[in-house]
Amino acid sequence: MRTVRTTAAAVSVALAAGAASVAAGRLASGAALTAPPGRPLPTEPRLTVHATAPGQIVLTRDLASLRPGTYGLAGHGSHAVVGPVLEDAPHSADTVVRRLELVTHGTLRPGDSVWLTPNLYVGNPRATLGLDHADVDIPGELGPLPAWFVPGARDTWVIAVHGLGTTREHAMNLMRPLNARHVPVLALAYRGDLGAPRPPDGLNHLGETEWRDLDAALRYAVRYGARKVVLLGWSTGATMALRAAARSSLRDRIAGLVLDSPVLSWEATLRALAAARHIPSALLPLAVRAAQGRANLTADRSGTDTVTVPTVVFHGPGDQVAPWTLSRRLADSHPGLVTLHTVRDAPHAAMWNADPDFYEESLRRFMTPLV
């Protein structure tokens, strides 16, 4: 009888652990695999608006609110642009004052919950930046993919693709400097984005299937006059660029890659997002395994071993979503082909925001021989 009870207890513990891993896996996968574009990742802290004044906003003091650079500040029904920290502005010990550049829409009131985002602009290239553009539909395997095309005189195009937590509006951060060099830009919305087809299982596959939408954009660019293409991707968009460069039938048309905060290990990113959701550390391996099964993710590799074109990587050790060490390893394993620009104190996919001048000059130097 004692043996039966012991066995029953062990089975109960095993079943409970299994149920916990399934629950943890669903929670972990939800952080990356079902998060809607444009919503903050769980690694991004919420900040409270304490006060506003002409040209100033007072926020909760946090490592996030102390970041260098210029960011979008998003809330529920509001969006603003905030600049550098104003060190000399009066503030309490638990607050920080940043320059308030612009309130794009909505209002910012004391007590509002907000978060920083790499998306500096909202709207479209014409309304927001004054750049002529065309709204185009790219034929994809799941249906039409909406995209913005900003024309330029050169025959080397840039195809820009966003990643986790952002939208194709992210590409507008770089449209002006690229347009100034007469480089055509195609900014893509892919499966799961607003206006684009929904994935059959409703999940984001961290680039494993989404790269085929980027491949469709590559075919579109070549069909309409691109002699060469540079793929520019942030986060999982960078993963998509690596996949396309390794697998596309038109990979010979890819002249270079620009990778910002690339997700080079879906396992590491799932672990990071699960940890940010406060999944106990003991359950993280189970959570990642469950998420892998849910999304049908294959072996954890992103095509980094097959990089064959000039590549520039913008990344930094402050990234809590995609480990910077993997980008460093990528650069070390491809000397002369892959250049890593380390950006300090920048969150995931916000390397430009932290230091726009450095980023744009580095991008200009990289692009010059390719266009």
Side-chain angles (χ1 to χ4, degrees):
M1 181 65 71
R2 187 174 302 149
T3 301
V4 171
R5 288 174 180 165
T6 302
T7 301
V11 170
S12 297
V13 169
L15 289 173
S21 68
V22 170
R26 292 195 68 84
L27 186 59
S29 64
L33 306 181
T34 63
R39 298 297 298 168
L41 296 175
T43 51
E44 190 61 40
R46 305 305 187 270
L47 307 170
T48 300
V49 176
H50 290 264
T52 61
Q56 297 184 4
I57 186 167
V58 184
L59 300 169
T60 306
R61 192 174 190 85
D62 186 272
L63 289 176
S65 58
L66 289 168
R67 291 169 184 159
T70 302
Y71 299 84
L73 187 72
H76 299 288
S78 64
H79 180 275
V81 177
V82 294
V85 173
L86 301 177
E87 301 284 359
D88 297 331
H91 61 276
S92 63
D94 60 350
T95 62
V96 60
V97 182
R98 297 189 75 110
R99 189 162 65 213
L100 182 60
E101 307 276 6
L102 172 71
V103 177
T104 312
H105 63 257
T107 57
L108 296 168
R109 299 186 180 91
D112 284 355
S113 178
V114 293
W115 58 90
L116 295 177
T117 170
N119 277 34
L120 203 67
Y121 303 106
V122 295
N124 62 57
R126 182 178 294 107
T128 303
L129 303 175
L131 297 177
D132 286 336
H133 81 280
D135 292 295
V136 301
D137 285 326
I138 296 171
E141 68 173 2
L142 299 181
L145 303 167
W148 292 318
F149 176 63
V150 179
R154 299 188 185 274
D155 58 9
T156 297
W157 292 24
V158 165
I159 302 178
V161 58
H162 73 88
L164 294 172
T166 60
T167 67
R168 60 172 161 157
E169 293 167 317
H170 196 178
M172 288 197 285
N173 288 2
L174 294 173
M175 281 184 181
R176 275 184 175 146
L178 289 170
N179 183 258
R181 300 203 29 97
H182 310 292
V183 177
V185 179
L186 188 65
L188 177 68
Y190 53 89
R191 61 188 70 187
D193 284 349
L194 182 65
R198 179 178 171 81
D201 59 5
L203 300 178
N204 183 318
H205 290 250
L206 304 181
E208 184 63 34
T209 57
E210 293 83 0
W211 78 270
R212 293 196 286 269
D213 293 345
L214 180 54
D215 187 40
L218 179 58
R219 292 195 301 271
Y220 179 94
V222 170
R223 185 182 308 125
Y224 286 97
R227 182 180 58 85
K228 293 288 184 180
V229 171
V230 174
L231 302 182
L232 163 60
W234 293 264
S235 180
T236 51
T239 312
M240 293 163 61
L242 284 164
R243 292 279 199 277
R247 302 176 182 176
S248 173
S249 61
L250 290 174
R251 56 187 176 273
D252 61 310
R253 297 296 191 104
I254 299 173
L257 303 175
V258 181
L259 311 178
D260 187 311
S261 311
V263 171
L264 300 178
S265 165
W266 58 257
E267 180 179 351
T269 293
L270 282 175
R271 287 179 67 95
L273 294 174
R277 284 277 180 91
H278 307 294
I279 300 296
S281 57
L283 289 179
L284 287 179
L286 300 174
V288 170
R289 202 149 47 237
Q292 176 186 6
R294 185 181 181 193
N296 195 29
L297 296 171
T298 58
D300 197 358
R301 58 180 183 271
S302 56
T304 58
D305 54 342
T306 57
V307 173
T308 58
V309 296
T311 299
V312 62
V313 182
F314 295 93
H315 210 168
D319 192 328
Q320 298 179 26
V321 176
W324 166 77
T325 53
L326 297 180
S327 288
R328 185 177 62 185
R329 189 180 306 166
L330 172 64
D332 290 345
S333 63
H334 296 80
L337 191 63
V338 178
T339 301
L340 171 64
H341 291 301
T342 299
V343 183
R344 303 286 176 182
D345 303 318
H348 184 64
M351 304 300 114
W352 175 87
N353 302 79
D355 195 341
D357 291 340
F358 168 76
Y359 195 115
E360 291 179 17
E361 176 58 18
S362 300
L363 182 61
R364 183 193 68 79
R365 290 174 180 270
F366 176 76
M367 290 289 296
T368 295
L370 302 182
V371 299

